[in-house]
Amino acid sequence: MMLPLFLFAVGLLLMWQPRTKRWRARLLAHFNGDEQRVRQRANTFFLLGFAFILTALAYLYRLTM
């Protein structure tokens, strides 16, 4: 029962992380100020977090059946 909750929490964290100033500043420095690559990386993290949330919902659905 703990795995779906863990996956849900990790998914939310992955979706929220690219919105922080520190994360953005570090990636801008890493990509030498390339905004497009920073946005692309943020979108990738958002999709990964969404996948974790969908996986958690699938596990919860299987546990209730």
Side-chain angles (χ1 to χ4, degrees):
M1 186 63 184
M2 289 299 290
L3 183 62
L5 298 176
F6 174 74
L7 289 173
F8 193 76
V10 168
L12 288 177
L13 179 67
L14 283 172
M15 291 171 80
W16 176 70
Q17 182 180 2
R19 308 217 185 300
T20 62
K21 287 181 185 177
R22 180 176 181 230
W23 190 88
R24 183 170 166 71
R26 293 178 106 188
L27 274 186
L28 276 172
H30 179 73
F31 291 129
N32 298 324
D34 190 359
E35 282 285 332
Q36 183 179 3
R37 297 218 32 213
V38 172
R39 263 186 273 121
Q40 185 179 20
R41 183 67 57 96
N43 289 340
T44 301
F45 268 74
F46 184 85
L47 289 174
L48 183 63
F50 189 68
F52 270 76
I53 289 174
L54 288 179
T55 305
L57 292 175
Y59 271 123
L60 284 173
Y61 180 74
R62 288 286 288 177
L63 285 175
T64 58
M65 295 202 85

